[in-house]
């Protein structure tokens, strides 16, 4: 099958992009790694593709005001290897799981977040870190928190005449540790289930936040601090990873029951996804906690 006919424009400024997006049926083309298959299968029939890749200011990544700012055409692979992005360890943990190297070379971080596939890694990272999405139209810019951005499967708060110009990820602070894991049928496939974790440990104790993906129509975020504290009460203050993981297990089963609301599909039943989430949550919350209290310990992932 071939795409339905469409017009193609490649403006050189954000202003011109926004003017084009104001036309009926126009659609942003970023890396094309999700949009082009959609067009080829005729699941979408935009009248005009607005290619944003010739706009220099959209290809910027910088670290300012405690945030990593990732522009609309910054490739996933750039973020995976750029030194500035090391300040957001959760992104670095997640990116190797996104498709294959060739896809990450073209696919953009903003494109993945705008596309909002329920099984995608980067929307879960944005949710876990409560990243800020900056969307711009001819009328001006607005900022949307991750908790309000993802509204359903492939569905976000961005309206057709808007461009996601930038995502701002908070830079990791001292006392924070991160975990990320997923299960897919083959490496590079979309996840059957996955979890992104941030633990922040201060003198007041640990706070833990998870975002699960592949298990609902959008990433599901929970504060699991009480469960982590209860597990630490059982293990004592200096647990090893496997001991803490075991202590978290019963809590993780209850968390999985709460967050998995997808039905089964050709790849996995809902019950199987619950088992996957329980295992992933207990393992990666434990890892993230240990990283938050022992940041430089050998053999423990960040
Ligand atoms: C074989 C294969 C395997 C893959 N595996 C994975 C995987 O495991 N995990 C994963 O997360 N992804 C996977 N992907 C998808 C990949 O990550 C895409 O790059 C990403 O989802 C979309 O980014 P893009 O820049 O290519 O966007 P495009 O394909 O250009 O656009 C995708 C959608 O987002 C919109 N859009 C893009 N940028 C913006 C913007 N700045 N503002 C507003 N709207 C915008 C477009 O209009 C379109 O609707 C896979 C893709 C392929 C082909």
């Amino acid at each position: 099958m071939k795409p339905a006919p469409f017009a193609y424009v490649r403006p050189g400024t954000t202003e011109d992009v926004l003017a084009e997006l104001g036309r009926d049926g126009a659609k942003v083309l970023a890396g094309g790694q999700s949009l082009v298959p959609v067009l080829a299968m005729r699941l979408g029939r935009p009248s005009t593709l607005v290619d944003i890749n010739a706009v220099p200011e959209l290809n910027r990544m910088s670290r300012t005001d405690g945030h990593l700012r990732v522009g609309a055409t910054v490739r996933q692979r750039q973020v995976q290897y750029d030194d500035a992005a090391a300040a957001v360890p959760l992104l670095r943990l997640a990116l190797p799981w996104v498709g294959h190297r060739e896809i990450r070379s073209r696919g953009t971080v903003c494109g993945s977040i705008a596309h909002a596939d329920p099984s995608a890694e980067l929307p879960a990272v944005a949710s876990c870190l409560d990243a800020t999405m900056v969307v711009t139209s001819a009328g001006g810019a607005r900022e949307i928190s991750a908790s309000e951005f993802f509204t359903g499967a492939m569905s976000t708060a961005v309206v057709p005449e808007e461009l996601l110009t930038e995502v701002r990820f908070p830079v990791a602070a001292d006392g924070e540790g991160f975990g990320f894991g997923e299960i897919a049928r083959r490496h590079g496939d979309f996840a059957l289930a996955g979890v992104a974790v941030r633990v922040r440990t201060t003198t007041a104790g640990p706070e833990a936040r998870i975002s699960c993906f592949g298990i609902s129509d959008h990433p599901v975020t929970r504060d699991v601090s009480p469960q982590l504290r209860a597990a630490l009460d059982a293990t004592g203050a200096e647990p090893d990873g496997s001991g803490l993981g075991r202590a978290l297990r019963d809590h993780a089963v209850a968390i999985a029951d709460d967050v998995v609301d997808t039905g089964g599909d050709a790849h996995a039943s809902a019950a199987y996804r619950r088992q996957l989430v329980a295992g992933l949550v207990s393992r990666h919350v434990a890892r993230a906690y240990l990283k938050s209290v022992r940041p430089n310990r050998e053999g423990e992932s960040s």
Side-chain angles (χ1 to χ4, degrees):
M1 201 183 278
K2 290 183 178 160
F6 55 82
Y8 171 83
V9 292
R10 189 175 162 91
T13 66
T14 304
E15 199 177 35
D16 288 347
V17 165
L18 298 175
E20 294 291 347
L21 287 178
R23 297 180 206 279
D24 205 25
K27 195 117 184 99
V28 174
L29 173 67
Q33 298 303 293
S34 296
L35 181 58
V36 172
V38 163
L39 298 182
M41 290 184 277
R42 296 208 176 191
L43 296 172
R45 289 171 174 248
S47 60
T48 305
L49 291 191
V50 183
D51 185 339
I52 61 174
N53 290 285
V55 182
E57 69 259 27
L58 295 178
N59 192 25
R60 291 194 189 134
M61 176 163 50
S62 63
R63 186 180 157 179
T64 47
D65 300 331
H67 286 83
L68 179 73
R69 301 163 67 143
V70 180
T73 58
V74 174
R75 310 290 160 188
Q76 295 158 4
R77 201 166 144 79
Q78 269 174 272
V79 177
Q80 195 176 345
Y81 293 109
D82 192 292
D83 286 345
V88 186
L90 190 54
L91 263 180
R92 289 290 187 86
L93 288 177
L95 277 163
W97 295 93
V98 178
H100 304 279
R101 183 181 55 188
E102 294 74 9
I103 288 151
R104 297 192 294 271
S105 294
R106 286 299 305 166
T108 63
V109 168
C110 288
S112 174
I113 287 172
H115 190 58
D117 189 298
S119 297
E121 292 80 5
L122 299 180
V125 169
S127 298
C128 185
L129 298 179
D130 202 16
T132 301
M133 275 43 100
V134 182
V135 298
T136 310
S137 68
R142 62 192 180 112
E143 296 181 7
I144 309 172
S145 72
S147 58
E148 289 169 1
F149 188 83
F150 301 105
T151 53
M154 316 281 191
S155 168
T156 70
V158 180
V159 299
E161 59 271 22
E162 285 178 323
L163 177 69
L164 175 59
T165 39
E166 179 178 283
V167 178
R168 295 181 191 157
F169 296 95
V171 162
D174 287 347
E176 288 190 341
F178 301 90
F180 188 93
E182 69 176 55
I183 307 287
R185 287 167 69 92
R186 295 168 304 187
H187 185 74
D189 281 7
F190 279 97
L192 297 176
V195 65
V197 183
R198 180 184 70 186
V199 174
R200 179 182 292 149
T201 301
T202 64
T203 48
E207 290 170 11
R209 181 177 161 98
I210 61 169
S211 289
C212 299
F213 58 101
I215 47 75
S216 184
D217 65 356
H218 63 292
V220 178
T221 300
R222 293 285 184 268
D223 176 355
V224 296
S225 312
Q227 292 90 334
L228 174 57
R229 290 176 186 186
L232 286 167
D233 285 344
T235 59
E238 296 277 326
D240 62 26
S242 54
L244 182 57
R246 277 195 302 277
L248 279 161
R249 178 74 200 184
D250 286 347
H251 301 291
V253 168
I255 291 166
D257 279 346
D258 169 35
V259 299
V260 177
D261 72 6
T262 183
D265 57 29
H267 304 295
S269 65
Y272 182 55
R273 284 193 162 92
R274 280 190 203 99
Q275 284 186 34
L276 298 181
V277 169
L280 289 164
V281 166
S282 49
R283 189 174 321 132
H284 292 288
V285 171
R287 282 189 185 167
Y289 170 73
L290 292 178
K291 200 70 194 170
S292 76
V293 292
R294 307 171 195 159
N296 299 318
R297 177 125 154 186
E298 292 289 320
E300 287 170 1
S301 59
S302 44

